[in-house]
Amino acid sequence: MAGGKLGILIELWAFMKERKKWWLGPIVVLLLLLALLLVFTQGSALAPFIYTLF
């Protein structure tokens, strides 16, 4: 399972490198950080405040 997710990241990196789409890097990193924030704060007291941002 982890190999498949790692494969996606490797393919994304190869795509960005070949097509010179470096602007996708910060977008992907931001989306991953946002997803991690939502996952880790799902059961905490901060959840209502984070959900109001969206």
Side-chain angles (χ1 to χ4, degrees):
M1 188 70 153
K5 292 180 183 178
L6 186 60
I8 290 172
L9 291 176
I10 291 171
E11 272 194 51
L12 179 64
W13 175 255
F15 171 78
M16 288 180 1
K17 188 174 165 186
E18 183 178 332
R19 305 277 187 191
K20 307 288 191 243
K21 302 283 186 186
W22 298 115
W23 54 271
L24 284 173
I27 295 172
V28 170
V29 169
L30 184 68
L31 287 174
L32 287 174
L33 289 174
L34 186 62
L36 285 174
L37 177 71
L38 289 175
V39 167
F40 286 129
T41 60
Q42 185 176 13
S44 74
L46 293 175
F49 300 110
I50 291 174
Y51 289 126
T52 59
L53 294 175
F54 305 104

